[in-house]
């Protein structure tokens, strides 16, 4: 008998909203009857398409479980549901001081990665076939004889974009055949204002580095702040070679996982989905297999130094909390090694991206895992 599940989550254009929709698809693919109730937590809202409207229109007289895909701040317990599940993607290690009472209300706590606070690890599901298609890319801006590094994410201190750029400009001379692509956004700011802010911060960083006499002598980054479609995002991944994420902390990092799905090299701190892709379990194997194209940036935990105005909530990322601080030399070493490897293969016409088998992360298999946790 199919379970009736009430799913509450964000209907937004960001990564949270995408993860919410993928979880709903996963439950449905595994045979559950899903009713969706969207919330709008202040991020750019997304008009529901026909598929999501179908889930929103559903009503059942009895629900076996309610899944709240929210930050724990917003959890509520309701005894009329068979089980109350908290499905939350957050990066903080300070959860005991932020929202322990709310988490205790839940019968189970789910998180994309296995953290000490969660009952079950439920990775964000994907459609593996998406990585096998061809998408429009950046052919007008990038030539095939270059190695293209890229960073993708919201422009916030935690994701550490300027650190990645500092490593890039320190390691590579302006005349080397490399590019650095940035795809970013800033919640609550239009694309033009975001571009202005990012360019100002990059300019200030280059002045401080003083590697060249003039800031215009640095290699110019390719900066994208406009909204682009999912297909264009996928095309960006296909146009690039090496994904950089020197993050202080990630809950999952969909851009990193997508980069892995498209066969790109990954250089990241040990956070978010990194462990899933660094040592993964293929469908045909019983144990872990180390991914050949995934590289860890050495890092240490240190106390957070983030002013109040830059925190997402006043009690998150306070000085009481620790996050990962990456090592610049480690990132530069991996960048140079991968650059040399790719250029050698390109010179011999042997460069080809190998796509991993992501069957274990399909909607059907993640949906089955979710239903097993509810049984």
């Amino acid at each position: 008998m199919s379970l009736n599940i009430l799913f509450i989550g964000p209907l937004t254009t960001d990564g949270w909203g995408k993860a919410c929709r993928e979880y709903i698809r996963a439950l449905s693919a595994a045979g559950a009857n899903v009713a969706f109730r969207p919330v709008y937590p202040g991020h750019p809202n997304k008009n529901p398409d026909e598929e999501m409207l179908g889930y929103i229109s559903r009503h059942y007289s009895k629900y076996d479980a309610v899944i709240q895909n929210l930050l724990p701040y917003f959890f509520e317990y309701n005894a009329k549901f068979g089980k109350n599940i908290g499905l939350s993607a957050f990066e903080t290690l300070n959860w005991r001081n932020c929202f322990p009472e709310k988490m205790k209300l839940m019968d189970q706590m789910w998180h994309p990665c296995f953290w000490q606070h969660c009952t079950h690890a439920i990775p964000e599901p994907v459609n593996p076939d998406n990585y096998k298609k061809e998408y429009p890319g950046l052919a007008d801006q990038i030539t095939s004889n270059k190695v293209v590094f890229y960073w993708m994410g919201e422009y916030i201190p935690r994701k550490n974009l300027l650190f990645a750029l500092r490593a890039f400009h320190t390691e590579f001379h302006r005349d080397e055949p490399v590019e650095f692509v940035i795809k970013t956004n800033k919640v609550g700011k239009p694309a033009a204002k975001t571009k202005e802010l990012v360019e100002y911060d990059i300019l200030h960083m280059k002045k401080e580095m003083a590697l060249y006499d003039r800031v215009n002598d640095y290699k110019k980054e390719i900066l994208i702040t406009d909204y682009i479609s999912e297909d264009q995002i996928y095309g960006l991944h296909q146009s690039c070679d090496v994904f950089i994420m020197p993050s202080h902390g990630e809950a999952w990092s969909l851009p990193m996982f997508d980069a892995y799905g498209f066969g790109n090299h990954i250089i990241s701190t040990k956070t978010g989905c990194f462990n899933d892709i660094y040592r993964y379990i293929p469908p045909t194997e019983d144990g872990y297999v180390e991914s050949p194209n995934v590289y860890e940036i050495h890092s240490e935990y240190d106390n957070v130094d983030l002013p109040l105005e830059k925190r997402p909530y006043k009690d998150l990322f306070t000085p009481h909390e620790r996050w990962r601080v990456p090592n610049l030399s480690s990132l530069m070493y991996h960048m140079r090694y991968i650059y040399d490897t790719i250029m050698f293969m390109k010179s011999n016409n042997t460069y080809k991206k190998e796509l991993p088998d992501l069957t274990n992360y399909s909607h059907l298999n993640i949906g089955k895992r979710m239903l097993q946790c509810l049984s």
Side-chain angles (χ1 to χ4, degrees):
M1 183 177 178
S2 298
L3 296 181
N4 294 338
I5 297 175
L6 179 64
F7 196 97
I8 302 172
L11 188 60
T12 53
T13 60
D14 57 10
W16 286 6
K18 180 172 173 55
C20 171
R21 297 189 295 277
E22 301 298 353
Y23 280 126
I24 291 171
R25 291 174 182 132
L27 287 165
S28 183
N33 300 317
V34 185
F36 177 36
R37 299 296 176 266
V39 296
Y40 304 94
H43 291 252
N45 297 338
K46 178 180 176 65
N47 294 324
D49 56 20
E50 187 175 342
E51 178 192 17
M52 288 298 119
L53 281 173
Y55 293 113
I56 292 171
S57 66
R58 293 181 183 177
H59 298 270
Y60 300 102
S61 59
K62 179 183 177 182
Y63 290 95
D64 299 287
V66 56
I67 299 176
Q68 301 179 52
N69 184 203
L70 306 165
L71 283 176
Y73 291 116
F74 308 109
F75 286 169
E76 297 291 343
Y77 182 84
N78 193 318
K80 74 177 182 180
F81 299 105
K83 290 184 178 180
N84 284 254
I85 308 297
L87 171 55
S88 194
F90 53 82
E91 306 82 9
T92 179
L93 298 177
N94 197 35
W95 57 271
R96 287 188 179 90
N97 296 321
C98 294
F99 24 66
E101 298 306 318
K102 287 287 190 176
M103 292 169 64
K104 290 177 183 177
L105 295 174
M106 300 293 100
D107 296 307
Q108 295 180 19
M109 269 299 303
W110 297 355
H111 191 277
C113 307
F114 189 79
W115 282 23
Q116 55 187 330
H117 65 269
C118 71
T119 315
H120 299 287
I122 309 293
E124 294 184 10
V126 297
N127 180 354
D129 291 336
N130 286 342
Y131 304 112
K132 303 172 185 176
K133 303 174 184 176
E134 291 293 328
Y135 299 93
L138 298 174
D140 58 328
Q141 301 183 61
I142 297 173
T143 58
S144 60
N145 63 342
K146 294 182 179 180
V147 176
V148 184
F149 297 87
Y150 70 117
W151 179 100
M152 187 183 298
E154 185 182 352
Y155 189 55
I156 52 178
R158 175 174 56 80
K159 292 185 179 290
N160 221 2
L161 168 61
L162 296 181
F163 184 89
L165 287 173
R166 184 178 292 273
F168 174 79
H169 289 295
T170 304
E171 180 60 35
F172 296 103
H173 189 267
R174 62 191 177 192
D175 295 329
E176 292 189 81
V178 290
E179 296 285 0
F180 199 105
V181 179
I182 302 165
K183 171 63 186 87
T184 191
N185 68 288
K186 186 78 172 172
V187 172
K189 286 189 179 293
K193 287 292 184 182
T194 300
K195 186 174 184 179
E196 183 179 311
L197 172 63
V198 175
E199 288 179 336
Y200 175 84
D201 288 347
I202 292 174
L203 182 67
H204 182 71
M205 179 201 73
K206 289 176 177 177
K207 286 180 178 179
E208 284 190 333
M209 293 176 69
L211 294 177
Y212 301 100
D213 293 335
R214 300 175 303 172
V215 291
N216 289 337
D217 291 337
Y218 285 84
K219 183 178 287 290
K220 182 72 172 176
E221 303 83 8
I222 300 173
L223 175 60
I224 304 169
T225 58
D226 291 321
Y227 171 81
I228 59 177
S229 68
E230 187 171 275
D231 281 0
Q232 290 172 312
I233 289 286
Y234 290 159
L236 179 56
H237 284 291
Q238 287 183 330
S239 297
C240 299
D241 302 299
V242 189
F243 180 82
I244 309 291
M245 183 49 69
S247 176
H248 295 297
E250 294 291 316
W252 180 249
S253 182
L254 180 60
M256 189 194 308
F257 195 83
D258 282 342
Y260 176 68
F262 283 108
N264 288 337
H265 292 75
I266 310 292
I267 312 176
S268 172
T269 45
K270 192 176 181 180
T271 182
C273 69
F274 181 86
N275 282 336
D276 283 68
I277 63 177
Y278 182 67
R279 298 177 70 240
Y280 75 110
I281 304 177
T284 56
E285 302 287 342
D286 295 328
Y288 287 100
V289 175
E290 290 195 3
S291 302
N293 294 338
V294 181
Y295 303 82
E296 178 187 352
I297 305 170
H298 294 163
S299 61
E300 296 181 354
Y301 279 112
D302 202 355
N303 289 73
V304 176
D305 181 18
L306 200 62
L308 177 61
E309 65 271 14
K310 293 188 176 182
R311 300 176 199 165
Y313 294 91
K314 66 178 182 179
D315 53 351
L316 285 182
F317 307 129
T318 72
H320 290 131
E321 183 171 353
R322 298 192 307 158
W323 62 9
R324 288 193 178 274
V325 178
N327 180 281
L328 188 70
S329 296
S330 175
L331 174 53
M332 291 165 56
Y333 173 84
H334 290 313
M335 294 174 81
R336 174 60 66 179
Y337 174 79
I338 295 171
Y339 165 82
D340 288 341
T341 301
I342 293 177
M343 290 301 291
F344 176 78
M345 290 191 291
K346 286 190 174 185
S347 69
N348 293 306
N349 294 318
T350 58
Y351 181 55
K352 181 182 179 182
K353 296 181 181 182
E354 299 292 337
L355 306 187
D357 188 338
L358 299 179
T359 305
N360 284 341
Y361 296 90
S362 68
H363 294 110
L364 176 61
N365 284 321
I366 296 298
K368 286 180 178 179
R369 184 186 299 196
M370 297 171 82
L371 295 184
Q372 287 171 357
C373 295
L374 292 173
S375 62

